[in-house]
Amino acid sequence: SHGGLVAFAAAFEEPRIKAIVSLDTNYEPIRGSGLNGMEELEAPTLWLVSDDGVQCLHIFGPPGVKLYDRANPPAAEVTIHGSSHIAFIERSQAFNILGQVVCGGGKTPQHKVRSVAYRYMIPWFLVYLRGEESFAEYYRGAHAKDDVDQGIVSIRARYPE
């Protein structure tokens, strides 16, 4: 979540950033906090998000605007079902226990959530950083459709025409 915010902040300032993947930073963190200019950001952006809506961050107030809704294409939001905010984090066991208490654990084991996340983020970078279009199949083709049909993810996406 914090890393996603840092990625956005860097992309606003550094035009050499050509693609962004954000792990569970799907809402403006605190209503009115910024990320102003999301509509002007040109880097293709993929949001990998938990279906708990980052509930543990809502202790700071209601969520703001969904960032995906303000983004230019290409943009995709992949919601990993059964996941929680903490499922994206690889940290010490002590942090995970605290995170489980504050955020909840989700139904899907962390290693499976991360596996699904990797299935989307790696092709995203291969397409938008290396121009290897054949990998788009994994986030907007048959592979992604299989994940949707199996209830693993839901996907919202906008691509240039």
Side-chain angles (χ1 to χ4, degrees):
S1 54
H2 183 69
L5 293 176
V6 170
F8 289 118
F12 286 133
E13 298 297 323
E14 180 51 69
R16 293 178 295 172
I17 294 176
K18 301 296 182 198
I20 298 171
V21 171
S22 175
L23 298 177
D24 216 24
T25 304
N26 56 334
Y27 287 97
E28 183 178 359
I30 299 172
R31 202 175 289 278
S33 68
L35 292 184
N36 295 324
M38 180 62 71
E39 299 85 355
E40 297 164 19
L41 188 64
E42 293 186 22
T45 304
L46 170 66
W47 282 269
L48 296 168
V49 300
S50 62
D51 60 0
D52 71 3
V54 196
Q55 70 182 19
C56 58
L57 298 180
H58 296 178
I59 61 174
F60 301 112
V65 176
K66 276 201 146 203
L67 297 175
Y68 168 83
D69 294 332
R70 294 173 44 202
N72 287 318
E77 180 185 74
V78 177
T79 301
I80 302 174
H81 297 295
S83 63
S84 72
H85 184 67
I86 201 70
F88 293 98
I89 298 172
E90 290 188 50
R91 293 212 181 135
S92 72
Q93 189 63 30
F95 181 83
N96 281 336
I97 292 168
L98 175 62
Q100 299 278 342
V101 170
V102 175
C103 296
K107 298 176 204 140
T108 303
Q110 283 183 304
H111 72 280
K112 289 187 178 181
V113 171
R114 288 191 298 267
S115 176
V116 172
Y118 299 152
R119 272 202 316 257
Y120 288 85
M121 81 172 69
I122 293 169
W124 188 267
F125 283 136
L126 288 170
V127 169
Y128 291 107
L129 297 179
R130 290 189 174 175
E132 297 181 28
E133 287 294 325
S134 63
F135 285 96
E137 170 75 18
Y138 289 91
Y139 59 82
R140 67 177 185 193
H143 292 288
K145 183 181 180 321
D146 287 346
D147 281 351
V148 170
D149 291 347
Q150 293 175 39
I152 297 168
V153 302
S154 56
I155 300 173
R156 296 191 309 152
R158 292 189 309 274
Y159 301 105
E161 295 184 27

